[in-house]
Amino acid sequence: MNTNPMLCDLKTGVCGPGGEDTVQMVDFNPRPQPQITLYYATDPICSHCWALEPVLNRFIHQYGQYFKIELLMGGLLAGWSGFADKANGISQPADVAGHWREVGEHSRMPIDGSLWLNDPVMSSYPPSRVFKVIQSRHPGQEHAFLRRAREAVFVFNRNIGTDEVLTEIVNSLGLPGEEIVQASGLEAAQDLLEADFQKAAQLGVRGFPTLIMVNEENKGVKIVGARSLQHYADALQQLIPEPLVPAAIPPMPELLSEGQLLFSREIEAMYDIAQEDVESFTAAALNEYSYRTRHILGEMFIEPA
């Protein structure tokens, strides 16, 4: 018997460890992961969607390898004529301010809300149409647009229903803002938005945020409202035959390079740290010249320097 793997066996004609069959069938095709689509039905002015950002961002970073994500604009506010949200006591713009402040205080994702008293958003369709135009012309950039639009309206109290503000946000992405905003006013952009409404209706969406995970067998799990990270992971596990293996959490420099502001609540959720430890954690994780620390509405956030 050949006990030295460096030697060759004259009988088998093998150099190195033996013991294998002479002829074997080998499948080199990687075992395909089940194809999951995560539909996220949302709206640019959905306050609970803004509150969900810390948990959803971590879920996508850790489990995004199991699914492709498709955002659907839901059409929360077509206009104020005839609008009524009886559950939240909202029938006019001024009624939204208190509701938004309540959501902000509960979630600790900063929300000002006073624009509803002095410069209200008259419809969520304009930013939704801009989202659809960017999605069709510059795929991949629509996520960044939606995030910056939310930062603008929730934190910095800017009316994202106006062409001026929307143009500025699109320009900040390095895209032609005026051209895209003009295109969003055309019938073709509304057609794209209507297609989202139809898809959301087919999926049984009635409120926002709603996440629906669907596998290749067209079986799915629907999660309504802002939930915990474990809640979303458990739902995904129902569609995956093997145990889920979360990806490593990205280091803070990588997170900061994505271009969005990072609020304290997001840093806490991503790295499982306490609020009082955020500033020291950030200082240890980042080069001091790579970011700036700011505060707004009683909450800390950081931005790229």
Side-chain angles (χ1 to χ4, degrees), residues 1-290:
M1 177 182 292
N2 177 16
T3 59
N4 188 337
M6 295 299 293
L7 298 180
C8 298
D9 192 312
L10 294 176
K11 292 182 180 179
T12 63
V14 175
C15 291
E20 295 186 287
D21 293 336
T22 304
V23 179
Q24 305 172 47
M25 290 296 297
V26 181
D27 184 1
F28 288 104
N29 293 312
R31 182 175 298 177
Q33 285 286 355
Q35 183 58 63
I36 307 294
T37 300
L38 188 157
Y39 296 100
Y40 177 28
T42 185
D43 189 274
I45 63 169
C46 166
S47 57
H48 287 292
C49 299
W50 176 241
L52 178 59
E53 288 277 290
V55 168
L56 183 60
N57 285 339
R58 176 160 175 180
F59 179 65
I60 292 171
H61 275 99
Q62 288 208 278
Y63 297 98
Q65 69 271 26
Y66 290 102
F67 55 79
K68 62 177 182 178
I69 186 167
E70 184 174 329
L71 271 65
L72 299 173
M73 295 293 100
L76 182 60
L77 179 65
W80 283 102
S81 178
F83 178 87
D85 180 356
K86 296 180 180 179
N88 290 301
I90 297 172
S91 60
Q92 59 182 337
D95 297 333
V96 182
H99 171 68
W100 271 26
R101 283 194 297 271
E102 184 178 295
V103 174
E105 290 169 2
H106 181 263
S107 68
R108 289 192 39 242
M109 283 295 282
I111 300 179
D112 185 314
S114 60
L115 86 161
W116 292 107
L117 304 175
N118 48 49
D119 186 21
V121 176
M122 301 310 294
S123 171
S124 66
Y125 284 23
S128 298
R129 287 194 295 265
V130 170
F131 174 93
K132 295 304 297 181
V133 172
I134 293 175
Q135 186 181 53
S136 64
R137 296 187 178 186
H138 306 277
Q141 292 274 45
E142 69 272 18
H143 299 266
F145 165 75
L146 182 59
R147 170 64 189 218
R148 294 197 187 188
R150 283 178 168 152
E151 291 174 356
V153 70
F154 291 113
V155 184
F156 300 109
N157 223 35
R158 306 197 68 196
N159 186 343
I160 61 171
T162 66
D163 287 357
E164 178 185 1
V165 172
L166 288 170
T167 299
E168 184 180 322
I169 293 171
V170 177
N171 283 337
S172 74
L173 298 172
L175 301 176
E178 186 174 346
E179 175 187 322
I180 287 174
V181 172
Q182 285 181 353
S184 74
L186 302 178
E187 185 177 348
Q190 183 63 31
D191 289 343
L192 292 173
L193 187 57
E194 293 289 345
D196 270 19
F197 296 166
Q198 292 174 13
K199 183 65 175 179
Q202 291 170 1
L203 291 168
V205 174
R206 299 181 62 186
F208 316 108
T210 295
L211 274 70
I212 302 170
M213 305 179 203
V214 182
N215 65 15
E216 71 276 18
E217 298 174 353
N218 216 29
K219 296 179 180 179
V221 181
K222 181 167 74 172
I223 309 100
V224 180
R227 304 300 176 194
S228 69
L229 176 66
Q230 191 60 52
H231 198 108
Y232 294 115
D234 289 345
L236 179 61
Q237 182 67 83
Q238 293 182 48
L239 302 175
I240 303 289
E242 304 294 333
L244 293 176
V245 179
I249 295 173
M252 272 198 83
E254 181 180 327
L255 208 60
L256 188 66
S257 70
E258 294 178 4
Q260 66 189 45
L261 305 179
L262 289 176
F263 293 91
S264 179
R265 185 69 192 89
E266 295 181 292
I267 298 170
E268 295 162 35
M270 185 66 74
Y271 298 102
D272 291 321
I273 58 175
Q275 181 182 3
E276 59 268 22
D277 296 327
V278 169
E279 291 201 47
S280 60
F281 179 86
T282 300
L286 296 174
N287 181 295
E288 62 179 313
Y289 302 109
S290 68

